[in-house]
């Protein structure tokens, strides 16, 4: 099991840089020669500028129960979130919008937490009933995904709150109820006049919610996915989105030089192994190396911002492209950076890197 650990926060020119601690190695790392991933001479980006998810399609304060249910029904399929869970997350946002408007809590943050915590109440084959209560009470749940992480605290319910958090948030309802749990989770996040609209405040609030870097990355990635899809739900079935969903599930796996992932017997991925496997899962074949992927897919025109699922490349086009990642949105990508580090979300383009552009596999 690989942990993503954030060990330093450096405030530079107004940006907060989060630097993941390398995954411990069994022995000293030795220089690598060029191999299947084409990533031996340069590491991929592994700096994450603190960022909140983009603004999503929001429920309206004046909506009644029927209108809120209609809003949820329109997004449930594209987002792969049960309608009743979406209503619960919306109720959390609407409640906190009234109680603490300066916190700027969004339902996508609650949905990211719900996904990482219990797959929106579906963990172990469970589901939410019409009243929003899980049909099988949920105790402490390990983090899911290909990497996984054991549960180390006594947590309960679809939002995996501790009883102390639930009570401290002023909730007297049912921790297994998605409405009560979402409101309580919102109050926990908004403690101490937090402003979730800013990257630093959002990141710190998620860190305070659960002390796990893997959890924070899962919440960030899924919240960003939900925000983007809420604005363009008709894109949910496209290969680019399916590739991103696959990549999000691999967060926390180790970088393995030449690795094609657990399905092939490898513990993890190298950079182009991850991008190829992600698009293979979506029915789109890619070349195996970063360099060959760069030279074989349509180029995103210079000056055009990458879109979700685009491949972002690093190196020198005249000689060799040594690294590739999948663009997530909002300036972030999912990538397998280099030996000794885990698959993770990172800022795709920072000053001084050797980013050369993006490509767009068949959509």
């Amino acid at each position: 099991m690989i942990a993503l650990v954030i060990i330093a926060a450096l405030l530079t020119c107004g940006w907060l840089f989060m630097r993941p601690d390398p995954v411990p190695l069994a022995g000293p790392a030795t220089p690598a020669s060029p191999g299947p991933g084409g990533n031996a001479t340069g590491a991929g980006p592994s700096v994450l500028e603190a960022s909140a998810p983009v603004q999503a399609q929001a429920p309206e304060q004046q909506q009644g129960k029927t209108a809120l249910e209609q809003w949820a029904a329109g997004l449930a399929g594209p987002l792969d979130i049960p309608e009743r869970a979406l209503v619960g997350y919306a109720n959390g946002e609407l409640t906190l919008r009234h109680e603490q408007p300066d916190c700027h809590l969004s339902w996508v943050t609650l949905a990211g937490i719900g996904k990482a915590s219990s797959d929106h109440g579906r963990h172990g084959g469970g589901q939410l009933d019409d009243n929003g209560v899980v049909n099988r009470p949920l105790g402490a749940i390990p983090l899911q995904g290909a990497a996984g992480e054991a549960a180390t605290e006594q947590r309960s319910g679809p939002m995996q709150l501790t009883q102390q958090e639930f009570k401290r948030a002023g909730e007297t309802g049912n921790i297994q109820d998605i409405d009560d749990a979402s409101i309580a989770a919102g109050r926990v996040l908004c403690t101490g006049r937090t402003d979730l609209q800013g990257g630093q405040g959002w990141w710190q609030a998620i860190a305070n919610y659960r002390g796990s870097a893997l959890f924070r990355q899962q919440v960030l990635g899924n919240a960003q996915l939900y925000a983007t899809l809420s604005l363009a739900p008709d894109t949910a079935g496209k290969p680019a989105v399916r590739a991103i969903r696959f990549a999000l599930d691999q967060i926390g796996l180790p970088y393995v030089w030449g690795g094609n992932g657990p399905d092939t017997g490898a513990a993890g991925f190298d950079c182009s192994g991850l991008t190829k496997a992600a698009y293979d899962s979506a029915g789109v074949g890619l070349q195996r190396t970063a360099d060959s992927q760069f030279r074989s897919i349509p180029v995103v025109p210079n000056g055009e911002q990458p879109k979700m699922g685009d491949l972002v490349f690093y190196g020198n086009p005249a000689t060799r492209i040594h690294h590739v990642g999948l663009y997530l949105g909002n300036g972030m990508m999912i990538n397998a950076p280099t030996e000794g580090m885990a698959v993770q979300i990172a800022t795709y383009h920072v000053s001084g890197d050797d980013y050369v552009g993006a490509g767009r596999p068949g959509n």
Side-chain angles (χ1 to χ4, degrees), residues 247-271:
L248 286 172
D249 282 343
Q250 313 313 309
I251 290 176
L253 288 179
Y255 177 96
V256 174
W257 179 64
N260 294 309
D263 288 347
T264 66
F269 296 92
D270 66 9
C271 66

Side-chain angles (χ1 to χ4, degrees), residues 4-9 17-22 216:
L4 293 168
V5 183
I6 307 300
I7 61 170
F17 291 87
M18 302 295 187
R19 299 186 181 276
D21 185 19
R216 294 192 290 273

Side-chain angles (χ1 to χ4, degrees), residues 92-157:
E93 175 183 331
L94 294 173
T95 298
L96 270 294
R97 196 188 297 176
H98 172 72
E99 293 180 353
Q100 299 186 54
D102 291 340
C103 179
H104 300 110
L105 174 68
S106 170
W107 64 268
V108 296
T109 294
L110 295 174
I113 291 174
K115 171 64 176 176
S117 295
S118 70
D119 192 20
H120 312 297
R122 297 180 295 198
H123 177 75
Q127 62 182 15
L128 301 172
D129 66 20
D130 291 342
N131 294 318
V133 179
V134 292
N135 64 339
R136 301 176 183 176
L138 297 171
I141 300 172
L143 292 181
Q144 303 302 295
E149 188 174 286
T152 59
E153 299 175 283
Q154 293 300 314
R155 296 180 173 273
S156 304

Side-chain angles (χ1 to χ4, degrees), residues 43-67:
S46 56
V47 171
L48 177 59
E49 295 173 348
S51 176
V54 296
Q55 188 171 356
Q57 181 191 128
E60 295 300 326
Q61 188 75 53
Q62 68 270 21
Q63 284 183 332
K65 180 179 178 181
T66 300

Side-chain angles (χ1 to χ4, degrees), residues 115-291:
K115 171 64 176 176
S117 295
S118 70
D119 192 20
H120 312 297
R122 297 180 295 198
H123 177 75
Q127 62 182 15
L128 301 172
D129 66 20
D130 291 342
N131 294 318
V133 179
V134 292
N135 64 339
R136 301 176 183 176
L138 297 171
I141 300 172
L143 292 181
Q144 303 302 295
E149 188 174 286
T152 59
E153 299 175 283
Q154 293 300 314
R155 296 180 173 273
S156 304
M159 301 300 280
Q160 287 293 279
L161 291 154
T162 67
Q163 288 291 340
Q164 291 81 3
E165 288 171 333
F166 191 71
K167 292 176 181 177
R168 192 167 63 244
E171 268 304 315
T172 57
N174 182 358
I175 201 170
Q176 304 289 343
D177 183 301
I178 193 64
D179 297 313
D180 295 342
S182 293
I183 292 170
R187 290 171 178 161
V188 169
L189 292 168
C190 291
T191 298
R193 300 190 179 187
T194 298
D195 183 358
L196 299 176
Q197 203 167 38
Q200 297 179 37
W202 189 91
W203 187 265
Q204 189 59 53
I206 302 301
N208 292 339
Y209 191 96
R210 186 162 179 168
S212 161
L214 177 59
F215 175 77
R216 294 192 290 273
Q217 290 241 335
Q218 289 180 341
V219 173
L220 175 62
N222 283 293
Q224 177 62 40
L225 173 68
Y226 297 148
T228 301
L229 290 181
S230 77
L231 301 174
D234 58 322
T235 66
K238 290 189 174 183
V241 175
R242 291 159 59 193
I244 286 293
R245 288 189 184 275
F246 176 92
L248 286 172
D249 282 343
Q250 313 313 309
I251 290 176
L253 288 179
Y255 177 96
V256 174
W257 179 64
N260 294 309
D263 288 347
T264 66
F269 296 92
D270 66 9
C271 66
S272 55
L274 176 64
T275 54
K276 177 171 172 53
Y279 269 96
D280 280 350
S281 75
V284 176
L286 295 179
Q287 299 292 319
R288 178 55 181 83
T289 68
D291 190 76

